[in-house]
Amino acid sequence: MNKLVIWIIVLFVITSCGASPIPNSHLGETLPIIKSGPHGMEFSYIPGGLFQMGSPEHEPGRKESSGSLELQHWVKLTKDYWMQTTEVTRGQWYAVMKSYPDNNGNCVLRSTVIKKENYPVSCLSPKEIDLFIEKINHQQKNDGYKYSLPTEAQWEFAARGYTETPYSIEGNLDSFAWYGKNSDHANPVKKLKANKFGLYDVHGNVNELVSD
């Protein structure tokens, strides 16, 4: 599956485990199922399932450097979960942490991005991410959900949205992905087309971190 990332930036979406909607035998016809979360976050319901992780050997954009990690193999997700529909934004980060990340010298943000809350938060250290997750779980300890980074399998299953093609969204590439030909910087979330689960920027914009 082709991610088309343009910046090497530590950035993440979070998953939420907790109460699920009433099972729906026609789920594929009614996707996405979205619920509101804290600090303006939105989460899409992702039902567990069986899928082929990885990509065909001759798929365009396949990363040969990944070696055996990219080989197609069957993976079964036995539990349903909720995936945030966008990357965590700067505004959401501030709402939890009461400050913006200090960037730790990892990268330099453009001055036009620094004060815009609808841009994905970036330039983070693993320690900062762990602290964010710890704090949001403490703040929301009574809402019935546990927040975490997704595993790689959870991320890919959600990003694929029941597709087996290089891109999980139909249409012109510019309609759903920020990449080298239409942008040279990070962009606000939720500006382009979402996939079948209602997830934005599963292709392009910035890298998304997983727990494993």
Side-chain angles (χ1 to χ4, degrees), residues 150-170:
T151 65
E152 184 178 6
Q154 285 177 323
W155 184 91
E156 185 167 330
F157 182 80
R160 284 188 175 282
Y162 295 129
T163 66
E164 296 183 356
T165 50
Y167 304 111
S168 63
I169 305 171
E170 295 181 355

Side-chain angles (χ1 to χ4, degrees), residues 14 16 24 26-27 33-34 51 58 66 73 76 92 94 99 101 120 127 135 142 147 156 173 176 195 202 205 208:
I14 60 174
S16 168
N24 187 338
H26 301 291
L27 187 62
I33 298 174
I34 307 292
F51 77 110
H58 301 295
S66 299
H73 55 287
K76 185 176 183 179
Q92 291 162 356
Y94 188 88
S99 64
K127 184 177 180 180
K135 283 196 171 188
N142 296 320
Y147 301 88
E156 185 167 330
L173 193 58
F176 60 80
N195 75 354
V202 295
N205 210 4
E208 296 180 359

